[in-house]
Amino acid sequence: MGSNRWRGASPAVSRIASILLPVPLPEAFDYAEPEGMELAVGDHVAVPLGPRVIRGVVERLREGTGGNRPLKPVLERLDDPALPEGTLAFVNWAARYAVDAPGQPLAIALRGLRAQRARPEKVVVITGQAPTHMTPARAKVMEVAARTKLPPATLAGEAQVSAGVVKGLIDDGALEIRLIEPQSGFAEPDLSLKGRKLNASQAAAAAALKETVGKGFSAALLDGVTGSGKTEVYLEAVAAALAADPEAQVLVLLPEIALTQAVISRFAERFGAEPAEWHSGVTPPRRRRVWEAVVSGRCRIVVGARSALFLPFRKLSLVVVDEEHDASYKQEDGFIYQARDLAVARAKIEDAMVVLASATPSLESLYNAETGRYRWLKLADRHGDAVLPDVSLIDMRESQPEHGRWLSKPLVEAMAETFTRGEQTLLFLNRRGYAPLVLCRACGERMTSPDTDSWLVEHRYTGRLVCHLTGFSMLKPDRCPHCGAKDSLVSIGPGVERVEEEARSLFPEARIAVFSSDTVFDAEGAKALIETMAAGEIDILVATQAAAKGHNFPNLTLVGVVDADLGLRGGDLRAGERTFQLLAQAAGRAGRHERPGRALLQTYAPDHPVMQALKAQDRDAFIAAEMEMREVSGLPPFGRLAAVICTGPDAAVLEAYCRTLAAATPNAEGVEVFGPADAPLALMRGRRRKRFLVRANREVDLQAFMAAWRARARPPGSVRVTIDVDPYSFL
Ligand SMILES: [Zn+2]
């Protein structure tokens, strides 16, 4: 590196540095490398951009003078650890995949750096010099200080003395203040510890993973029913990856923050050390600490949400995507990506192994397993003695509850039996709040969000009407805002809060709790509620999808699905698949240990293929039917989809731009473009929305098509164009 300085005789010969900036620009910008700066790829630099100075990362260095813009010099090389080549390559790959600016994924990759480093802490330590005189208060302080190093105020509090006593001892020379750096590394996993005992099926899958980990890129689908013990299996792959290479790093992705605590505890138990945690609930200084430990290799295991995929791993050897079918892996705003698909790409770039785990794999992953792209590891048995729950359908056309009630007679009877036996019930309804719609009995007016095409949802706990799309909320008025009638607003339909109210009136002596994002705000709260449930201190838990995933409740023997048809009404491509996955997971919560469980599904469409497959517990039949439907229509995984969403405040301007964009559609074989059409959600935060849908054959380079198309019709300033490759939302 040092020899570059003497490269040329003439000081005029210098290098051009292409700098990737964490802002939405179409490409890296060229700058001149000042003499003597000796940049390397991945270095962080400060560069001028218009009137600003911003941080960027060196993507490429080349000799020459002509750049893609008039060359300004790089101002400074920053003292942060360089971004590894694999991370840079991944950032560029992700941008191309999403048909977006590379600065978008770069900004995610640099997120940990934006946070302040935790500052060194001032603590009080004993000097070894005896105090000139001793008092009972001084003795107490000395006693506490001998035990632990605390900041002065905390020390005084702990010793129950005034701050003056501590200060007196410092002045006296018996104590002194020292600055200590917050710990920056993570405890090394102990690879001598043994995992839990595996059954035959788990042992076979673990052996297959151990055989391939650390030997370049490979992908595996770990496919096993709820309770079959997938975590134990991938923990063995993690152990093998870490043992094969002392520098190897492992990333475990989870779809929900609520799941991280349970998984972290499992890792702590298996390796005697807690892994690093990465998600939106982690404080900025901690995030900085994780980022620095990952880039320097001082952290070997990260458990996190989808954005952990962009961490600057030095030597990534294994990526696990747990609950890989989960729709929360799709990031829907800002930089739009599907973390499961990017995890496979990142593993390929890093020459690592990727393991996708699920009880109800996505059709995409099943297709890749069937065609041999992924190794298919099936876990057959339930772990231990637990048996699968018995699933039955309640035909709501015959068992309709009375007006304003949502729990049918058969379900209430089952709840009563369960409660009498001292066992637990989970009532599942994927709908937050009290009622999804509030309308006026006098004039029929529906309460809607002021700037968005969506109904306001009533929340009884807060007494507010809330828009779940924008977060807008208002106090529930006592008069209809339309006709002025007093006390005329009525709540229509059930949310979890309303089901809880009904359960309370039916079982006044039962202990009842609600698990939704309105009652559980963070990982700590989720952990507390899950522990209370696991300890048997809740009789009936009413929950949204947050509780359908991954938790073990040994005393849970009944799952009641309040509205099994809810997911089927969306009318999008994956509605059936998603409903099947969610309900199968919810049903799978029951009877995971010695007690047999049952699941009751309330449905108005008992003949629907999804309901029949659930009743028969016949996943294969459901998948076969769904696959056939997708293949006939050329939909994913047999074809590819992308959506274009155009939004703007002015209907006429938006309309005109959409016509221009439609006329600019490139001609391409194997590609169909539908639209523009008004989006089902036609108004959002005051902006009108229109959509195009692109369907392409599998072999088409959809990204190239989309990029070419967009380049042919630049939108006016007021119109925003968003490309969503492989859309999950069709709103
Ligand atoms: Zn009214």
Coordinates of all heavy atoms in Angstrom, one line a residue, residues 119-193:
R119 N -19.9 6.8 25.2 CA -18.8 7.6 25.7 C -18.1 6.8 26.9 O -18.8 6.1 27.6 CB -19.3 8.9 26.2 CG -19.0 10.0 25.1 CD -19.6 11.3 25.5 NE -21.0 11.2 25.4 CZ -21.9 12.1 25.8 NH1 -21.4 13.2 26.3 NH2 -23.2 12.0 25.7
P120 N -16.8 7.1 27.1 CA -16.1 6.5 28.2 C -16.8 6.9 29.5 O -17.3 8.0 29.6 CB -14.7 7.0 28.2 CG -14.5 7.7 26.9 CD -15.9 7.9 26.3
E121 N -16.9 6.0 30.4 CA -17.7 6.3 31.6 C -16.8 6.7 32.8 O -15.7 6.1 32.9 CB -18.5 5.1 32.0 CG -19.7 5.4 32.8 CD -20.5 4.1 33.1 OE1 -19.9 3.0 32.9 OE2 -21.6 4.2 33.6
K122 N -17.2 7.7 33.6 CA -16.4 8.1 34.8 C -16.8 7.2 35.9 O -18.0 7.2 36.3 CB -16.7 9.5 35.2 CG -15.9 10.6 34.4 CD -16.3 11.9 35.0 CE -15.7 13.0 34.2 NZ -16.2 14.3 34.6
V123 N -15.9 6.4 36.5 CA -16.2 5.6 37.6 C -15.2 5.9 38.7 O -14.1 6.4 38.5 CB -16.2 4.1 37.3 CG1 -17.2 3.7 36.3 CG2 -14.8 3.7 36.8
V124 N -15.6 5.5 40.0 CA -14.8 5.7 41.1 C -14.1 4.4 41.5 O -14.7 3.4 41.6 CB -15.7 6.2 42.3 CG1 -14.8 6.5 43.5 CG2 -16.5 7.4 41.9
V125 N -12.8 4.5 41.7 CA -12.0 3.3 42.1 C -11.2 3.6 43.4 O -10.9 4.8 43.7 CB -11.1 2.8 41.0 CG1 -11.8 2.4 39.8 CG2 -10.0 3.9 40.6
I126 N -10.8 2.5 44.0 CA -10.0 2.7 45.3 C -8.6 2.8 44.9 O -8.1 2.1 44.0 CB -10.3 1.4 46.2 CG1 -11.7 1.5 46.8 CG2 -9.2 1.3 47.2 CD1 -12.0 0.3 47.6
T127 N -7.9 3.8 45.5 CA -6.5 4.0 45.2 C -5.5 3.1 46.0 O -4.4 2.9 45.6 CB -6.1 5.5 45.5 OG1 -6.3 5.7 46.9 CG2 -6.8 6.5 44.6
G128 N -6.0 2.6 47.1 CA -5.1 1.8 48.0 C -4.6 2.6 49.1 O -4.0 2.1 50.1
Q129 N -4.8 3.9 49.1 CA -4.4 4.8 50.2 C -5.5 4.9 51.2 O -6.6 5.1 50.8 CB -4.1 6.2 49.6 CG -3.3 7.1 50.5 CD -3.1 8.5 49.8 OE1 -2.8 8.5 48.6 NE2 -3.4 9.5 50.5
A130 N -5.2 4.7 52.5 CA -6.2 4.7 53.5 C -6.7 6.2 53.7 O -5.9 7.1 53.6 CB -5.7 4.2 54.8
P131 N -8.0 6.4 54.0 CA -8.6 7.7 54.3 C -7.9 8.2 55.5 O -7.5 7.5 56.4 CB -10.0 7.5 54.5 CG -10.3 6.1 54.0 CD -9.1 5.3 54.0
T132 N -7.7 9.6 55.6 CA -7.0 10.1 56.8 C -7.9 10.0 58.0 O -7.3 9.8 59.1 CB -6.8 11.6 56.5 OG1 -8.0 12.2 56.1 CG2 -5.7 11.9 55.5
H133 N -9.2 10.0 57.9 CA -10.0 9.6 59.0 C -11.2 8.8 58.5 O -11.6 8.9 57.4 CB -10.4 10.9 59.8 CG -11.4 11.7 59.0 ND1 -11.0 12.6 58.1 CD2 -12.8 11.8 59.1 CE1 -12.0 13.2 57.6 NE2 -13.1 12.7 58.1
M134 N -11.8 8.0 59.4 CA -12.9 7.2 59.0 C -14.2 7.6 59.7 O -14.1 7.9 60.9 CB -12.5 5.7 59.3 CG -13.3 4.7 58.5 SD -13.4 4.9 56.8 CE -12.5 3.5 56.2
T135 N -15.3 7.6 59.0 CA -16.6 7.8 59.6 C -17.5 6.6 59.2 O -17.1 5.9 58.2 CB -17.3 9.1 59.2 OG1 -17.5 9.0 57.8 CG2 -16.4 10.3 59.5
P136 N -18.6 6.4 59.8 CA -19.5 5.3 59.3 C -19.9 5.5 57.9 O -19.9 4.6 57.1 CB -20.7 5.4 60.2 CG -20.2 6.0 61.5 CD -19.2 7.0 61.1
A137 N -20.2 6.8 57.5 CA -20.6 7.1 56.1 C -19.4 6.7 55.1 O -19.6 6.1 54.1 CB -21.0 8.5 55.9
R138 N -18.2 7.2 55.5 CA -17.0 6.9 54.7 C -16.8 5.4 54.5 O -16.5 4.9 53.5 CB -15.8 7.6 55.3 CG -15.8 9.1 55.0 CD -14.5 9.7 55.4 NE -14.3 10.9 54.7 CZ -13.1 11.5 54.5 NH1 -12.0 10.9 55.0 NH2 -12.9 12.6 53.8
A139 N -17.0 4.7 55.7 CA -16.8 3.2 55.7 C -17.7 2.5 54.7 O -17.3 1.6 53.9 CB -17.0 2.7 57.1
K140 N -19.0 3.0 54.7 CA -19.9 2.4 53.7 C -19.5 2.6 52.3 O -19.6 1.7 51.5 CB -21.3 3.1 54.0 CG -22.3 2.1 54.7 CD -23.7 2.7 54.6 CE -24.2 3.2 55.9 NZ -25.4 4.0 55.8
V141 N -19.1 3.9 52.0 CA -18.6 4.2 50.6 C -17.5 3.3 50.2 O -17.4 2.7 49.1 CB -18.3 5.7 50.5 CG1 -17.6 5.9 49.1 CG2 -19.5 6.5 50.7
M142 N -16.5 3.1 51.1 CA -15.3 2.3 50.8 C -15.7 0.9 50.6 O -15.1 0.2 49.7 CB -14.3 2.4 52.0 CG -13.7 3.8 52.1 SD -12.9 4.5 50.6 CE -11.4 3.4 50.6
E143 N -16.7 0.4 51.4 CA -17.1 -1.0 51.2 C -17.7 -1.2 49.9 O -17.4 -2.2 49.2 CB -18.1 -1.2 52.4 CG -18.5 -2.7 52.5 CD -19.9 -2.8 53.3 OE1 -20.0 -2.1 54.3 OE2 -20.8 -3.5 52.8
V144 N -18.6 -0.3 49.4 CA -19.3 -0.4 48.1 C -18.3 -0.3 47.0 O -18.2 -1.1 46.0 CB -20.4 0.6 47.9 CG1 -21.0 0.5 46.5 CG2 -21.5 0.4 49.0
A145 N -17.3 0.7 47.1 CA -16.3 0.9 46.1 C -15.4 -0.3 45.9 O -14.9 -0.5 44.8 CB -15.5 2.2 46.4
A146 N -15.2 -1.0 47.0 CA -14.3 -2.2 46.9 C -15.0 -3.3 46.1 O -14.3 -4.1 45.5 CB -14.0 -2.7 48.3
R147 N -16.3 -3.3 46.1 CA -17.1 -4.4 45.5 C -17.2 -4.1 44.0 O -17.1 -5.0 43.2 CB -18.4 -4.5 46.1 CG -18.7 -5.7 46.9 CD -20.1 -5.9 47.3 NE -20.6 -4.9 48.2 CZ -21.7 -4.1 47.9 NH1 -22.4 -4.3 46.8 NH2 -22.1 -3.2 48.8
T148 N -17.5 -2.8 43.6 CA -17.9 -2.5 42.2 C -17.5 -1.1 41.8 O -17.3 -0.2 42.6 CB -19.4 -2.8 42.0 OG1 -19.8 -2.1 40.8 CG2 -20.2 -2.2 43.1
K149 N -17.2 -0.9 40.5 CA -16.8 0.4 40.0 C -18.1 1.1 39.5 O -18.7 0.7 38.6 CB -15.8 0.2 38.9 CG -14.5 -0.4 39.2 CD -13.6 -0.4 38.1 CE -12.3 -1.1 38.3 NZ -12.5 -2.6 38.3
L150 N -18.4 2.2 40.2 CA -19.6 3.0 39.9 C -19.3 4.4 39.6 O -18.3 5.0 40.1 CB -20.6 2.9 41.0 CG -21.2 1.5 41.4 CD1 -22.0 1.5 42.7 CD2 -22.0 0.9 40.2
P151 N -20.2 5.1 38.8 CA -20.1 6.6 38.7 C -20.3 7.2 40.1 O -21.0 6.6 40.9 CB -21.2 7.0 37.7 CG -21.6 5.7 37.0 CD -21.3 4.6 38.0
P152 N -19.7 8.4 40.4 CA -19.8 9.0 41.7 C -21.2 9.1 42.3 O -21.4 8.7 43.4 CB -19.2 10.4 41.5 CG -18.4 10.3 40.2 CD -18.9 9.2 39.4
A153 N -22.2 9.6 41.5 CA -23.5 9.7 42.0 C -24.1 8.4 42.4 O -24.8 8.2 43.4 CB -24.4 10.5 41.0
T154 N -23.9 7.4 41.5 CA -24.5 6.1 41.7 C -23.8 5.5 43.0 O -24.5 4.8 43.8 CB -24.2 5.1 40.5 OG1 -24.3 5.9 39.3 CG2 -25.1 3.9 40.5
L155 N -22.5 5.7 43.2 CA -21.8 5.2 44.3 C -22.4 5.8 45.6 O -22.7 5.0 46.6 CB -20.3 5.5 44.2 CG -19.5 5.1 45.4 CD1 -19.5 3.6 45.7 CD2 -18.0 5.5 45.2
A156 N -22.7 7.1 45.6 CA -23.2 7.7 46.8 C -24.6 7.2 47.1 O -25.0 6.9 48.2 CB -23.3 9.2 46.6
G157 N -25.4 7.0 46.0 CA -26.8 6.4 46.2 C -26.7 5.0 46.7 O -27.5 4.7 47.7
E158 N -25.8 4.2 46.2 CA -25.7 2.8 46.6 C -25.3 2.7 48.1 O -25.8 1.9 48.8 CB -24.6 2.1 45.7 CG -24.6 0.6 45.8 CD -25.7 0.0 45.0 OE1 -26.6 0.7 44.4 OE2 -25.7 -1.2 44.9
A159 N -24.4 3.6 48.5 CA -23.9 3.6 49.9 C -24.9 4.4 50.8 O -24.6 4.5 52.0 CB -22.5 4.2 50.0
Q160 N -25.9 5.0 50.2 CA -26.9 5.8 51.0 C -26.2 6.9 51.8 O -26.5 7.1 53.0 CB -27.7 4.9 51.9 CG -28.6 3.9 51.1 CD -29.3 3.0 51.9 OE1 -28.7 2.3 52.8 NE2 -30.6 2.9 51.8
V161 N -25.3 7.7 51.1 CA -24.7 8.8 51.7 C -24.8 10.0 50.7 O -25.2 9.8 49.6 CB -23.2 8.6 52.0 CG1 -23.0 7.4 52.9 CG2 -22.4 8.3 50.7
S162 N -24.4 11.2 51.2 CA -24.5 12.3 50.3 C -23.3 12.3 49.3 O -22.3 11.7 49.6 CB -24.6 13.6 51.1 OG -23.3 13.8 51.6
A163 N -23.5 13.1 48.2 CA -22.4 13.1 47.2 C -21.1 13.7 47.8 O -20.0 13.4 47.4 CB -22.8 14.0 46.0
G164 N -21.3 14.5 48.9 CA -20.1 15.2 49.5 C -19.2 14.2 50.2 O -18.0 14.4 50.2
V165 N -19.7 13.1 50.6 CA -18.9 12.0 51.3 C -17.9 11.4 50.3 O -16.7 11.3 50.5 CB -19.8 10.9 51.9 CG1 -18.9 9.9 52.6 CG2 -20.7 11.5 52.9
V166 N -18.5 11.1 49.1 CA -17.7 10.6 48.0 C -16.6 11.6 47.6 O -15.4 11.2 47.4 CB -18.5 10.1 46.8 CG1 -17.7 9.7 45.6 CG2 -19.5 9.1 47.2
K167 N -17.0 12.8 47.4 CA -16.1 13.9 47.0 C -15.0 14.0 48.0 O -13.8 14.1 47.7 CB -16.8 15.2 46.8 CG -15.9 16.3 46.2 CD -16.7 17.5 45.8 CE -15.7 18.5 45.2 NZ -14.7 19.0 46.2
G168 N -15.4 14.0 49.3 CA -14.4 14.1 50.4 C -13.3 13.0 50.3 O -12.1 13.3 50.5
L169 N -13.7 11.8 50.0 CA -12.8 10.7 49.9 C -11.9 10.8 48.7 O -10.7 10.4 48.7 CB -13.6 9.3 49.9 CG -14.1 8.9 51.2 CD1 -15.2 7.8 51.0 CD2 -13.0 8.3 52.1
I170 N -12.4 11.4 47.6 CA -11.6 11.7 46.5 C -10.5 12.7 46.8 O -9.3 12.5 46.5 CB -12.4 12.1 45.3 CG1 -13.3 10.9 44.8 CG2 -11.6 12.6 44.1 CD1 -14.4 11.3 43.8
D171 N -11.0 13.8 47.4 CA -10.0 14.9 47.8 C -9.0 14.3 48.8 O -7.8 14.8 48.8 CB -10.8 16.0 48.5 CG -11.7 16.7 47.5 OD1 -11.5 16.5 46.3 OD2 -12.6 17.5 47.9
D172 N -9.4 13.4 49.6 CA -8.5 12.8 50.6 C -7.5 11.8 49.9 O -6.5 11.4 50.6 CB -9.4 12.0 51.5 CG -8.8 11.9 52.9 OD1 -7.7 12.5 53.1 OD2 -9.3 11.2 53.8
G173 N -7.7 11.4 48.7 CA -6.8 10.5 48.0 C -7.1 9.1 48.2 O -6.4 8.2 47.7
A174 N -8.2 8.7 48.9 CA -8.5 7.3 49.1 C -9.3 6.8 47.9 O -9.2 5.6 47.6 CB -9.4 7.2 50.3
L175 N -10.0 7.6 47.2 CA -10.7 7.2 45.9 C -10.2 8.1 44.8 O -9.7 9.2 45.0 CB -12.2 7.4 46.1 CG -12.9 6.5 47.2 CD1 -14.4 6.9 47.2 CD2 -12.7 5.0 46.9
E176 N -10.3 7.6 43.6 CA -10.1 8.5 42.5 C -11.0 8.1 41.3 O -11.6 7.1 41.3 CB -8.6 8.4 42.0 CG -8.3 7.0 41.4 CD -6.8 7.0 40.9 OE1 -6.1 7.9 41.1 OE2 -6.5 6.0 40.2
I177 N -11.2 9.1 40.4 CA -12.1 9.0 39.3 C -11.2 8.4 38.1 O -10.1 8.9 37.9 CB -12.6 10.3 38.8 CG1 -13.5 10.9 40.0 CG2 -13.4 10.2 37.5 CD1 -14.9 10.9 39.8
R178 N -11.8 7.4 37.5 CA -11.1 6.9 36.3 C -12.0 6.8 35.1 O -13.2 6.5 35.3 CB -10.5 5.5 36.6 CG -9.2 5.2 35.8 CD -8.6 3.9 36.2 NE -7.8 4.0 37.4 CZ -7.4 3.0 38.2 NH1 -7.7 1.8 37.8 NH2 -6.7 3.2 39.3
L179 N -11.5 7.0 33.9 CA -12.4 6.8 32.7 C -12.3 5.4 32.2 O -11.1 4.9 32.0 CB -11.9 7.8 31.6 CG -12.3 9.2 31.7 CD1 -11.7 10.0 30.6 CD2 -13.8 9.3 31.7
I180 N -13.4 4.7 32.0 CA -13.2 3.4 31.4 C -14.0 3.3 30.1 O -15.1 3.9 30.0 CB -13.7 2.2 32.4 CG1 -15.1 2.5 32.9 CG2 -12.8 2.0 33.5 CD1 -15.8 1.2 33.5
E181 N -13.4 2.6 29.1 CA -14.1 2.5 27.8 C -15.2 1.4 28.0 O -15.0 0.4 28.6 CB -13.0 1.9 26.8 CG -12.0 2.9 26.4 CD -12.5 4.1 25.6 OE1 -13.5 3.9 24.9 OE2 -12.0 5.2 25.7
P182 N -16.3 1.7 27.3 CA -17.3 0.6 27.3 C -16.8 -0.6 26.6 O -16.0 -0.4 25.6 CB -18.5 1.3 26.6 CG -18.0 2.5 25.9 CD -16.7 2.9 26.6
Q183 N -17.1 -1.7 27.0 CA -16.6 -2.9 26.4 C -17.0 -3.0 24.9 O -18.1 -2.7 24.6 CB -17.3 -4.1 27.1 CG -16.5 -5.4 27.1 CD -17.3 -6.6 27.5 OE1 -18.4 -6.4 27.9 NE2 -16.8 -7.7 27.2
S184 N -16.0 -3.3 24.1 CA -16.3 -3.3 22.7 C -16.4 -4.6 22.0 O -17.0 -4.8 21.0 CB -15.2 -2.5 21.9 OG -14.0 -3.1 22.1
G185 N -15.9 -5.7 22.6 CA -16.0 -7.0 22.0 C -17.2 -7.8 22.5 O -18.0 -7.3 23.3
F186 N -17.4 -8.9 22.0 CA -18.4 -9.8 22.4 C -17.7 -11.1 22.9 O -16.7 -11.5 22.3 CB -19.4 -10.1 21.3 CG -20.3 -9.0 21.1 CD1 -19.9 -7.9 20.3 CD2 -21.6 -8.9 21.6 CE1 -20.7 -6.8 20.0 CE2 -22.4 -7.8 21.4 CZ -21.9 -6.8 20.6
A187 N -18.3 -11.7 23.9 CA -17.7 -12.9 24.5 C -17.6 -14.0 23.4 O -18.5 -14.2 22.6 CB -18.5 -13.5 25.6
E188 N -16.5 -14.7 23.4 CA -16.2 -15.7 22.4 C -17.1 -16.9 22.7 O -17.2 -17.4 23.8 CB -14.7 -16.1 22.5 CG -14.2 -17.1 21.4 CD -14.1 -16.4 20.0 OE1 -14.2 -15.2 19.9 OE2 -13.9 -17.2 19.1
P189 N -17.8 -17.5 21.6 CA -18.7 -18.6 21.9 C -17.8 -19.8 22.4 O -16.7 -20.0 21.9 CB -19.3 -18.9 20.6 CG -18.8 -17.9 19.6 CD -17.9 -17.0 20.3
D190 N -18.3 -20.6 23.3 CA -17.6 -21.7 23.9 C -18.0 -23.0 23.0 O -19.1 -23.5 23.2 CB -18.0 -21.9 25.3 CG -17.2 -23.1 26.0 OD1 -16.6 -23.8 25.2 OD2 -17.3 -23.2 27.2
L191 N -17.1 -23.4 22.2 CA -17.4 -24.5 21.3 C -17.2 -25.9 21.9 O -17.5 -26.9 21.3 CB -16.6 -24.4 20.0 CG -16.8 -23.1 19.2 CD1 -15.9 -23.0 18.0 CD2 -18.2 -22.9 18.8
S192 N -16.8 -25.9 23.2 CA -16.7 -27.2 23.8 C -18.0 -27.6 24.4 O -18.2 -28.8 24.8 CB -15.6 -27.1 24.9 OG -16.1 -26.3 26.0
L193 N -19.0 -26.7 24.5 CA -20.3 -27.1 25.1 C -21.0 -28.0 24.1 O -20.9 -27.9 22.9 CB -21.1 -25.8 25.4 CG -20.6 -24.9 26.5 CD1 -21.4 -23.6 26.5 CD2 -20.5 -25.6 27.8

